[in-house]
Amino acid sequence: MLYRFALVVAALPVGAVAQETPALSLDALVHEVVASNPERQFYQRQIETAGVERQAAGRLPDPQLTVEFGQRRAYDAATGLPTGDGAAYTVSVVQPIEFGGRIALRRAIADRQIELARIGLAQFGATLAARARSLGYGLFAADEKATAARAVAMRMRAVAQVIVTRDPAGPAPRLEAAVLQAGAISAERDAATADAQANTILYELNQLRGVPFAARLRIVRPAMSLPDLPAATTIAAMVDANNFELRALRVQFEQQGLRVDLAKKARFPIVSVGPYYGRSRADNRETNYGVRLSSNLPVWNAQAGEVAAEQGRQAQADATLVSTQRRIAREVFDHAAQYEAKRRALGRWDADSPQRFAEAAAEADRHFRLGAIPLATYTQMQSSYLSAMSAVLETRREALEALLSLRALGSDGPSE
């Protein structure tokens, strides 16, 4: 574009530095951020942990070892006198066995935990990708605004220097130079603001990429087309089926239902069975061995409180799901309306509006130097160029953020 050419000609070192800065497309940036982000390892570990829990949930309880030590004393049946005493001990190993399908229920609960971990990983990846794309376009827009404002400031200062070197015929040249210097200061302030915004975005991007904060980055001009969207009701239906948060809540609701069933199964007794061996010695030696069977007796319905608590949590999960569905539906309609409003505004503007305004600003500079246009027209053209370009970039950024928000909500379907 013409204003970039003017900037390179006016400040060649800046252009040389820009050429050395690594350049990435938005797609490449998103891929790098998602691939190298260190926080994704947390969600990977959650999946691994849930897998271990699933394996443990399918196992029987650990066997129970019982060892008894004591003393045995024997008495004569006729005289009642002790005939001898000695040590006695008993060893038993029993295996608890659960009935009522409790192991299968615990395994199903653990399966839902694995599914939740996978949904969490997919949600984090989608959110991270949307954030990286939004930041990437924001960095591109800030660099564009800073470059344009810097070019306008350089033009104004150059013209001001030309004016003050002329033979002054009254106060007009000096005042015109002051007006141009003031315009240059305003443009330089815009450039400094855009540079600060670019640095803020760059620091966050570098943090997401896992590189030093000071690492420089340049975004290749992205595609400026904005796709058509279906009706908001259609998008809301897609989001209701695909949204990560709603899917996680539904899985949690199913999981809570399984916990209710597991609490009800507590009425089934746990039977422990296994061998035992015992020896004792008093007046003679005695050995006992056999099979030991034990069980609890669920007489008092002690699990009723736990069942009620789990049912309360299930009702709370159902209420949370309904509330979240309403909130997300509202967000879908809100983002869709914002996207369409920004898209309609951009549709009324020519796609090459920034380039045409840049060319008009450069043309105004040439004509003013030749004395063909007045100072007011020149300064107004430079200011209008910056305002128009900023309006186009910001409107496109807002439309892109609304579109990315819809995609993050699940309008493009599940992506795991």
Side-chain angles (χ1 to χ4, degrees), residues 56-104:
R59 297 171 184 159
L60 289 171
D62 291 332
Q64 298 173 356
L65 172 66
T66 304
V67 180
E68 298 177 358
F69 294 97
Q71 192 76 10
R72 184 176 184 273
R73 175 171 294 178
Y75 294 87
D76 184 85
T79 63
L81 298 175
T83 60
D85 58 57
Y89 67 90
T90 303
V91 178
S92 66
V93 178
V94 295
Q95 172 63 58
I97 301 175
E98 296 180 293
F99 296 95
R102 277 183 285 197
I103 292 179

Side-chain angles (χ1 to χ4, degrees), residues 6-31:
L7 176 62
V8 173
V9 172
L12 186 58
V14 175
V17 172
Q19 292 296 326
E20 297 174 0
T21 303
L24 289 177
S25 66
L26 281 182
D27 291 338
L29 175 66
V30 170
H31 182 269

Side-chain angles (χ1 to χ4, degrees), residues 372-396:
I373 59 173
L375 177 65
T377 302
Y378 173 75
T379 55
Q380 184 63 35
M381 186 65 249
Q382 305 302 317
S383 175
S384 298
Y385 159 53
L386 294 179
S387 298
M389 189 192 67
S390 178
V392 171
L393 290 173
E394 285 301 309
T395 303
R396 184 170 282 112

Side-chain angles (χ1 to χ4, degrees), residues 45-60 103-117 255 259:
R45 284 195 295 270
Q46 275 193 323
I47 295 177
E48 296 171 1
T49 302
V52 174
E53 291 176 353
R54 202 269 183 195
Q55 293 177 358
R59 297 171 184 159
L60 289 171
I103 292 179
L105 283 172
R106 280 199 293 269
R107 189 185 295 117
I109 292 173
D111 287 337
R112 300 305 188 279
Q113 199 64 33
I114 294 176
E115 188 175 354
L116 283 173
Q255 191 180 48
R259 289 195 174 100

Side-chain angles (χ1 to χ4, degrees), residues 140-150 191 194 197 389-390 393-394:
F140 164 78
D143 287 340
E144 290 282 290
K145 289 187 285 186
T147 301
R150 209 171 283 116
Q197 183 182 11
M389 189 192 67
S390 178
L393 290 173
E394 285 301 309

Side-chain angles (χ1 to χ4, degrees), residues 241-273:
N242 302 320
N243 180 263
F244 293 114
E245 186 176 0
L246 292 178
R247 289 167 58 195
L249 287 174
R250 291 188 180 105
V251 172
Q252 289 175 351
F253 182 74
E254 295 175 6
Q255 191 180 48
Q256 190 58 40
L258 293 172
R259 289 195 174 100
V260 172
D261 294 339
L262 183 61
K264 291 179 179 178
K265 298 294 184 181
R267 282 192 62 87
F268 289 86
I270 298 177
V271 177
S272 299
V273 60

Side-chain angles (χ1 to χ4, degrees), residues 153 155-157 159-161 163 175-185 368 375 378-379:
R155 278 201 293 260
M156 286 187 167
R157 289 196 181 278
V159 172
Q161 291 176 359
I163 291 177
L175 295 178
E176 288 180 350
V179 170
L180 291 170
Q181 293 285 358
I185 290 174
F368 180 73
L375 177 65
Y378 173 75
T379 55

